[in-house]
Amino acid sequence: PSEQSASLHFSGIVAFAGAIGTPFGGWISDKLAGDRASREEVLSTCLRIMCISSASGMCCAITAAYCETKLTFLFWMGLAVMLLFLPTGCTTMAVMASVPNEMRSSAVALNILIMHVLGDVPSPVVIGMLKDHLAPRCNTRNINGNLILNPDCVKDVWGLRITLVMCLSWMLWTVIFWTLPLIFPESLGKPLKDEKNMDKAMGFETPLLETACTTNTRPSETSGTSGSLTEYSSPCY
């Protein structure tokens, strides 16, 4: 297939699988944790989803790297992308469940910053250097004024496959770091011990996933009564 056809098929698979995996992961976490889950329950549920989905996605992606036909490659890679998109919402929920309420926004922002600094910013350069070393003939050439893929790239299929497998195997660190809190919950996978007391002191007594209802007061509408107040509950949202 041509470069344009390969790019179109691969980008379509990634977009479709990502659009399914992200909301599906959120739905699974909501079902498993429940609306009134505590911080520890939310964190444990999210970590389990994150570990299982990332490990399964890594295995599917490595399987795709060794496929010999286009359909099998797209199938396994699409399944891998969907599994890797599953923990998107769980990651944010786990971060929020791990810190005091007043630090949630800062924690999520720091998490995003670290992902960019250590992830998508240096990775294109590092992967490009790795590919140039293992598959040096997979580059572009100027033929009759047109930039096209080097025809000799087919001779470096082994190098491209090793490059892909090495990049995908790097996700093993993700699996390890998300599994450690489950193995050592007392030291790595548990919110602050005084978190419940801090919540009460700051007025945050609603669990992480529980809908909030507030009680307010308004002047009584009873005729002949002045200055009295009547309690009413605002809608839950």
Side-chain angles (χ1 to χ4, degrees):
S2 65
E3 295 177 57
Q4 182 179 3
S5 175
S7 300
L8 181 62
H9 282 85
F10 185 75
S11 59
I13 287 293
V14 171
F16 180 74
I20 294 177
T22 302
F24 188 55
W27 179 81
I28 292 177
S29 62
D30 288 344
K31 287 295 182 182
L32 294 180
D35 291 338
R36 298 177 179 273
S38 64
R39 288 175 181 268
E40 293 185 17
E41 292 171 339
V42 170
L43 185 58
S44 177
T45 299
C46 290
L47 285 172
R48 280 178 166 79
I49 295 174
M50 291 154 61
C51 293
I52 295 174
S53 60
S54 58
S56 302
M58 181 184 66
C59 293
C60 290
I62 293 177
T63 301
Y66 288 94
C67 291
E68 299 292 340
T69 63
K70 181 177 70 175
L71 290 179
T72 55
F73 172 82
L74 292 177
F75 170 78
W76 285 108
M77 186 58 69
L79 182 60
V81 172
M82 187 188 72
L83 290 170
L84 293 175
F85 268 96
L86 276 179
T88 303
C90 295
T91 304
T92 303
M93 292 171 61
V95 172
M96 294 174 65
S98 304
V99 299
N101 289 1
E102 73 275 11
M103 295 180 60
R104 286 179 181 174
S105 58
S106 299
V108 172
L110 180 62
N111 180 56
I112 295 174
L113 176 63
I114 293 175
M115 286 192 296
H116 287 305
V117 172
L118 300 180
D120 52 11
V121 172
S123 59
V125 178
V126 175
I127 295 174
M129 293 174 61
L130 183 63
K131 189 275 302 177
D132 290 342
H133 178 71
L134 296 177
R137 285 172 287 194
C138 287
N139 51 21
T140 56
R141 297 185 60 183
N142 191 335
I143 299 180
N144 298 326
N146 297 321
L147 291 176
I148 64 172
L149 181 65
N150 189 342
D152 292 334
C153 182
V154 294
K155 299 178 181 179
D156 282 341
V157 172
W158 179 86
L160 284 178
R161 181 167 291 164
I162 294 300
T163 301
L164 180 59
V165 171
M166 290 180 66
C167 294
L168 295 172
S169 300
W170 190 257
M171 289 188 293
L172 183 62
W173 290 110
T174 303
V175 179
I176 292 174
F177 285 122
W178 282 349
T179 304
L180 285 176
L182 293 174
I183 300 176
F184 307 102
E186 292 299 324
S187 56
L188 297 175
K190 192 173 183 180
L192 296 176
K193 293 183 179 180
D194 60 342
E195 184 63 29
K196 294 181 179 179
N197 296 329
M198 292 176 62
D199 284 351
K200 292 181 180 180
M202 299 187 62
F204 299 114
E205 299 187 45
T206 304
L208 188 66
L209 298 180
E210 183 180 353
T211 55
C213 304
T214 58
T215 302
N216 302 292
T217 58
R218 63 183 175 189
S220 174
E221 298 178 357
T222 307
S223 58
T225 304
S226 59
S228 61
L229 299 176
T230 303
E231 290 188 351
Y232 71 97
S233 297
S234 61
C236 298
Y237 54 89

